[in-house]
Amino acid sequence: MSVRVYEKGRRLALGAPATSVHWIGGAALFALGDGAVQTATLEGAGERTQVHDGAILSACVHPDKKRLVTGGDDGKLCVLGDGGAVETLLETRGKWFEHVVANAATNIIVTASGKEAIVLKAGKEAHRFTHPTSVGGLALDAKGRRLAVSHYNGVTLRYALMADDKGVALNWAGSHLAVTISPDAEYVLTGMQENSLHGWRMPEKTDLRMTGYAVKTRSFSWNKSARLLATSGADCAVVWPFVGKLGPQGKEPLLIGRREPLVTQVAFHPSEDILAIGYEDGAAVAVRIADQVIIELDEAGEGPVTALAWSADGMQIAIGDEGGRGAIVDLSA
């Protein structure tokens, strides 16, 4: 076996599909489709905690950077802490929490249920923003102040902590299923139902249109300098340049890591221009952008890669797939 996981890594049996993975300290926390969170390190699997009575649909690191926030199809928004302690922040009968984001700078958590984006400050609900249709995606800017909510026919931008903010509308016809804000807050991008991206350059709200995808784009990742945006949805990672006054407009993207299976997950290294890519056959690679040298992280498995995240120091990467296979790969020298 030449893939890295067998040379410097740890294979994990997650027991359920991975829906996302997040690093807290030196441990990877896999959010799973059976409602549990599995903790793991290079040394092996750790605690497994049942957090929800159904699938975990969304998760993010808590603003205190010590706990994990999870949203489930049981109508609960929970926090998982040390020793498996579970706290319920919100509970809504008959609805799901499909999206959640958080920011340490403003100590806020934002989740969504139906048409509402719900803002929690210091662990308590502060206020709600209602939208014309169901929320497709959430994103906070790097300062944790500006909230982007995608929905049918566009995106609404608000200052998250201002309960009476009427919002700025970014209009474009169609269904916007995911959203991201560039780290410098100059661009807002969405993944659309029509297998394309739409964007706006701020503050002029200049429209951007990026096409050529085989399926819907569900995974975005910005590099540290905010000059490259990697996306899923094609048979390679499509990496758009955001340089110059017009950003990606009129420019060709970089096409990285082309294989026959489609790309399902992308994740830029936290400090270097190295992109981790997960595919629909379960394989994963890391590619250095400058010369496109490839490290094979994991081989094909039994399901698409659905979770991919670097540790904060960029020395390890966690991988999870729909078949319940997980891995932690060591990329230190």
Side-chain angles (χ1 to χ4, degrees):
M1 299 289 182
S2 60
V3 293
R4 188 80 167 197
V5 66
Y6 294 116
E7 299 170 356
K8 294 184 69 175
R10 173 69 61 177
R11 169 70 69 217
L12 300 164
L14 300 175
T19 57
S20 63
V21 63
H22 312 267
W23 286 87
I24 296 179
L29 279 68
F30 292 87
L32 301 176
D34 66 355
V37 173
Q38 176 67 61
T39 302
T41 66
L42 266 179
E43 285 66 46
E47 293 180 345
R48 181 185 179 88
T49 305
Q50 194 68 36
V51 181
H52 291 272
D53 296 324
I56 297 177
L57 303 176
S58 59
C60 69
V61 176
H62 191 280
D64 66 14
K65 300 185 178 181
K66 297 177 181 178
R67 297 179 289 167
L68 188 70
V69 183
T70 59
D73 67 4
D74 58 355
K76 294 182 180 179
L77 184 75
C78 298
V79 176
L80 173 63
D82 286 342
V86 177
E87 176 187 359
T88 300
L89 297 180
L90 291 174
E91 187 166 0
T92 304
R93 181 174 294 181
K95 294 187 176 181
W96 299 356
F97 291 110
E98 293 186 77
H99 313 281
V100 65
V101 292
N103 187 281
T106 47
N107 191 25
I108 63 170
I109 299 167
V110 186
T111 187
S113 179
K115 299 178 182 179
E116 294 183 317
I118 306 166
V119 180
L120 294 89
K121 174 72 174 175
K124 303 294 183 183
E125 180 177 336
H127 50 266
R128 300 186 178 207
F129 297 122
T130 301
H131 303 86
T133 62
S134 295
V135 174
L138 299 174
L140 284 166
D141 69 4
K143 296 179 180 178
R145 297 176 180 171
R146 212 78 193 270
L147 172 68
V149 178
S150 67
H151 45 74
Y152 195 76
N153 286 341
V155 170
T156 301
L157 281 178
R158 287 187 172 94
Y159 287 98
L161 290 173
M162 294 175 60
D164 58 351
D165 190 340
K166 302 302 182 187
V168 173
L170 304 177
N171 297 317
W172 190 262
S175 185
H176 299 257
L177 304 176
V179 63
T180 182
I181 303 176
S182 64
D184 57 10
E186 291 186 4
Y187 295 92
V188 177
L189 279 298
T190 64
M192 297 197 64
Q193 177 75 25
E194 295 82 6
N195 300 345
S196 63
L197 305 185
H198 192 84
W200 296 265
R201 184 166 60 84
M202 306 302 291
E204 299 88 352
K205 299 193 285 186
T206 306
D207 288 296
L208 307 170
R209 181 82 169 156
M210 292 101 97
T211 60
Y213 292 90
V215 297
K216 300 171 187 60
T217 296
R218 297 288 193 179
S219 180
F220 302 100
S221 183
W222 294 91
N223 74 334
K224 187 179 181 181
S225 68
R227 293 295 177 258
L228 295 173
L229 173 66
T231 58
S232 67
D235 60 358
C236 57
V238 181
V239 182
W240 295 96
F242 284 75
V243 294
K245 188 175 181 180
L246 298 179
Q249 200 71 24
K251 299 183 178 69
E252 293 294 325
L254 298 170
L255 304 177
I256 306 291
R258 189 183 295 277
R259 295 175 71 241
E260 186 174 339
L262 298 177
V263 171
T264 55
Q265 291 287 313
V266 290
F268 262 114
H269 188 279
S271 60
E272 300 180 35
D273 281 344
I274 298 173
L275 181 66
I277 305 171
Y279 298 88
E280 65 177 352
D281 66 350
V285 303
V287 184
R288 190 165 57 199
I289 298 294
D291 53 14
Q292 298 201 21
V293 168
I294 295 176
I295 297 174
E296 294 186 4
L297 301 174
D298 205 352
E299 61 189 346
E302 297 180 357
V305 174
T306 49
L308 192 63
W310 293 90
S311 60
D313 62 6
M315 295 296 182
Q316 298 177 40
I317 187 164
I319 307 164
D321 71 24
E322 194 172 277
R325 187 183 69 167
I328 296 177
V329 182
D330 182 7
L331 290 167
S332 61

